[in-house]
Amino acid sequence: MKIPFNKPYLTGKETDYIKEAVESQKISGNGVFTHKCQQFFENKYGIQKALLTTSCTDALEMAAILINIKDGDEIIMPSYTFVSTANAFVLRGAKIVFCDSRSDHPGIDENKIESLITSKTKAIVPVHYAGVACDMNKIMKLAKEYNLFVIEDAAQAIESYYTFPDGTTKALGSIGHLATFSFHETKNIISGEGGLLAINDSQFIQRAEIIWEKGTNRSAFFRGEIDKYGWVDIGSSFLPSEIIAAFLWAQLENLERIQNKRLEIWSFYKEQLKDLPIRVQSIPTYSTNNAHMFYIVTENSNDRKKIIKKLTDNGIGAVFHYLSLHTSEFYKSKYNGSELPLSDYYSNCLIRLPFFFNLTSQEQLKVCTLINSYF
Ligand SMILES: *Cc1c(COP(=O)(O)O)cnc(C)c1O
């Protein structure tokens, strides 16, 4: 029995909707399916304006353009994240200031951010790792005090929520000035490649539409607001075709069903692995769980290596995750901050277990039995 790490789940409606898009003869972007997907995010999550993009990487690049980064501006983000979180800002000439992770969770340590703020800091980019919320109350307070933008990397965070100390609950991706989601085939809701930019500060809406449409005011033209469109700003081709949006719509329609199944899988792992001498994923009280992944953290890298080997030898796709970006080949010579021991710890000791919609409890039991037998 081979168990892969990920297997994309199809609801069955994807090709019907793609056929519909193709037959409607409107297959470039910004059509019916694009609007359906964008409205879904706006209505369900209280996002002011949502724009579909061809990836979360692209949505991050749009965010970096929107906040007008100048050479030397500084962006604070965790080192334990995907390269795109940093690349989007590096492409615009920013300096990345990496912050360490929390001891109880790979997310950014909110209490270590303030000491990294300088007169050049422009934005904080929290990453909701595994769909678990960063402490957004602390982060938004700092941003207000120092006049910074907050861009949530919510790539993994669809259908996850944060509760503020006053009891109000908001969807991840609806809190920062801007936020980005991913529909890459490894995420909960997929379109192969795909993403979304969420705009929660209305000052960005008009310009975002222009950047999205190659630096033209074509969106306003299509709405009949102006009688011709032209080149008005920098931009690129950030919008996906209707074929991608049609696929995505089939997934979004089934969000609840997909999420319920993923939560079952998550709880099963948690129950099976709770008594082992390893750390299993935990959720802070202010965050919900969206069952994006299930990970365990070993005490040392040697244990991790041996557990991954044991699983791999038995046909199971268990994998490590990010390598700290501050020690990466590309950034280590540019990095002049302090050591980030917790980020390095997760780089060395975190294991992600197979996680996908059609994973059976029998398969999960096999994974857990092998991990059990290691200890
Ligand atoms: C997946 C992911 C991305 C990149 O998303 P793409 O849609 O593949 O560009 C960025 N940041 C994080 C935290 C991710 O998990």
Side-chain angles (χ1 to χ4, degrees), residues 55-57 81-82 84-85 127 153 155-156 182 184 187 194 322:
S55 63
C56 179
T57 302
T81 184
F82 189 57
S84 294
T85 320
V127 178
D153 183 339
Q156 307 174 7
S182 173
H184 184 263
K187 306 300 202 275
Y322 306 129

Side-chain angles (χ1 to χ4, degrees), residues 276-279 296-304 307 345 348-351 374-375:
L276 292 180
I278 39 165
R279 287 173 50 191
I296 59 176
V297 191
T298 57
E299 239 163 59
N300 55 64
S301 61
N302 201 31
D303 276 348
R304 177 174 76 173
I307 291 174
Y345 169 59
N348 292 325
C349 299
L350 186 141
I351 307 175
Y374 174 79
F375 293 99

Side-chain angles (χ1 to χ4, degrees), residues 50-111:
L51 291 174
L52 279 195
T53 57
T54 47
S55 63
C56 179
T57 302
D58 266 358
L60 284 161
E61 285 180 31
M62 283 185 72
I65 295 173
L66 279 167
I67 64 166
N68 268 329
I69 287 170
K70 298 180 307 297
D71 248 2
D73 281 350
E74 294 176 4
I75 308 290
I76 298 172
M77 67 178 63
S79 178
Y80 193 77
T81 184
F82 189 57
V83 291
S84 294
T85 320
N87 245 336
F89 299 92
V90 169
L91 276 166
R92 317 252 19 113
K95 177 186 167 196
I96 309 298
V97 176
F98 289 113
C99 186
D100 209 358
S101 297
R102 289 167 60 115
S103 59
D104 62 341
H105 185 266
I108 192 166
D109 186 339
E110 303 83 359
N111 296 323

Side-chain angles (χ1 to χ4, degrees), residues 147-202:
N147 199 21
L148 308 174
F149 291 117
V150 173
I151 300 163
E152 300 174 70
D153 183 339
Q156 307 174 7
I158 191 169
E159 193 56 21
S160 196
Y161 298 81
Y162 172 80
T163 302
F164 284 85
D166 70 1
T168 52
T169 293
K170 282 187 151 191
L172 300 187
S174 74
I175 303 167
H177 302 85
L178 298 163
T180 62
F181 290 89
S182 173
F183 311 118
H184 184 263
E185 79 171 29
T186 51
K187 306 300 202 275
N188 293 30
I189 293 293
I190 62 174
S191 62
E193 304 281 352
L196 181 139
L197 177 70
I199 304 162
N200 303 309
D201 179 342
S202 55

